[in-house]
Amino acid sequence: SEEHTSELQSLRHLVCRLLLEKKKELEIESFSSYLHSYDGNGDHILAVCKNANPSKHVRGTHVSFFNVTNFLNPTLTRRLDIENDKDARLHSAAENDHKASRFCRDGNKLILPVWIYGTDGRNFDRLYVLNVTKDDINYHFNTTHENNDGIHRGCCSRAQQSPRSVVHHGILTTMKSYTALAHDIDSKEVTWEINLDSNQTKYYDYHLWMSWE
């Protein structure tokens, strides 16, 4: 839409100004791979970030909230780590596909797709729904599109859905991997679900997901 295009242009302009000013270096051991305007006027920014330790090893994903009202003094005000397991391997499609996530200002919900490969054997393909305000970032619920059992069974087609979500009349519909799910975004109850591979009998062009050791 024109509004979305204008917002992206304003955000791009904002980021360029921040980079050009460089009046203050934020001492944060991470890097941002996706930025989204929180309030539409560029005073606050949501960032999907990768954790990075001093040895430059990338581990995990988190969401950060920046106050950039003062361009000369941007500040990190809130942060939420998606997974508490610091050695877990996480990836969000939002890092390289801006259509994969969605921020709903009506209700202040961030919908973020995440692959999780846990060190304890837990593996999930999910979309997280986060409550985001200027005072806090916290979990609302998640929609699991593939769990550990399904991932380790293999038979994962390359013909997967790109992560997408839409909210209409209070119903959150999410699409990822091989399923589509609908939840009441407030009560979190499932209203319907579809497994697009439920009638699959031929497994041409399939491959097996391998766990990382």
Side-chain angles (χ1 to χ4, degrees), residues 79-97:
R79 167 175 167 161
L80 175 70
D81 286 288
I82 298 300
E83 176 63 33
N84 291 327
D85 181 356
K86 294 183 179 179
D87 291 323
R89 292 170 171 84
L90 284 77
H91 172 74
S92 174
E95 295 168 19
N96 44 36
D97 177 6

Side-chain angles (χ1 to χ4, degrees), residues 7 10 14 37-44 68-69 71 105 134:
E7 182 176 305
S10 298
L14 168 65
S37 175
Y38 174 79
D39 44 21
N41 57 17
D43 288 340
H44 299 86
V68 291
T69 305
F71 284 100
R105 291 199 178 98
K134 295 178 182 179

Side-chain angles (χ1 to χ4, degrees), residues 47-206:
V48 177
C49 308
K50 300 296 290 186
N51 299 331
N53 61 26
S55 300
K56 299 181 180 180
H57 294 151
V58 176
R59 283 286 188 272
T61 299
H62 69 269
V63 175
S64 292
F65 190 92
F66 291 91
N67 184 333
V68 291
T69 305
N70 182 351
F71 284 100
L72 303 182
N73 187 31
T75 57
L76 171 65
T77 61
R78 296 288 180 269
R79 167 175 167 161
L80 175 70
D81 286 288
I82 298 300
E83 176 63 33
N84 291 327
D85 181 356
K86 294 183 179 179
D87 291 323
R89 292 170 171 84
L90 284 77
H91 172 74
S92 174
E95 295 168 19
N96 44 36
D97 177 6
H98 71 273
K99 295 180 180 179
S101 67
R102 177 176 299 276
F103 178 64
C104 300
R105 291 199 178 98
D106 183 11
N108 294 324
K109 298 288 192 297
L110 175 65
I111 304 161
L112 185 69
V114 178
W115 261 103
I116 298 177
Y117 298 89
T119 56
D120 56 0
R122 297 179 305 114
N123 303 292
F124 299 100
D125 192 8
R126 292 173 166 171
L127 279 95
Y128 279 83
V129 183
L130 307 177
N131 296 309
V132 181
T133 68
K134 295 178 182 179
D135 299 318
D136 195 18
I137 305 176
N138 57 66
Y139 289 102
H140 187 47
F141 70 101
N142 66 69
T143 67
T144 298
H145 288 258
E146 189 65 88
N147 59 24
N148 189 68
D149 292 338
I151 291 173
H152 283 287
R153 280 199 307 268
C155 293
C156 295
S157 171
R158 292 186 177 92
Q160 301 181 42
Q161 297 181 101
S162 297
R164 295 293 184 265
S165 60
V166 62
V167 179
H168 183 64
H169 291 313
I171 300 299
L172 167 65
T173 303
T174 55
M175 294 151 280
K176 197 173 193 293
S177 297
Y178 320 102
T179 56
L181 306 173
H183 292 75
D184 185 299
I185 199 168
D186 293 320
S187 70
K188 312 173 190 178
E189 294 181 358
V190 178
T191 58
W192 57 262
E193 57 184 301
I194 297 175
N195 183 346
L196 300 179
D197 268 3
S198 60
N199 296 321
Q200 181 69 36
T201 57
K202 297 181 179 180
Y203 298 100
Y204 301 117
D205 193 31
Y206 274 54

Side-chain angles (χ1 to χ4, degrees), residues 20-47:
L20 290 173
E21 293 286 352
K22 283 195 172 181
K23 297 297 183 180
K24 176 182 179 181
E25 294 292 336
L26 294 175
E27 296 180 358
I28 302 171
E29 294 178 353
S30 66
F31 64 90
S32 301
S33 52
Y34 175 69
L35 302 176
H36 190 93
S37 175
Y38 174 79
D39 44 21
N41 57 17
D43 288 340
H44 299 86
I45 289 179
L46 279 170

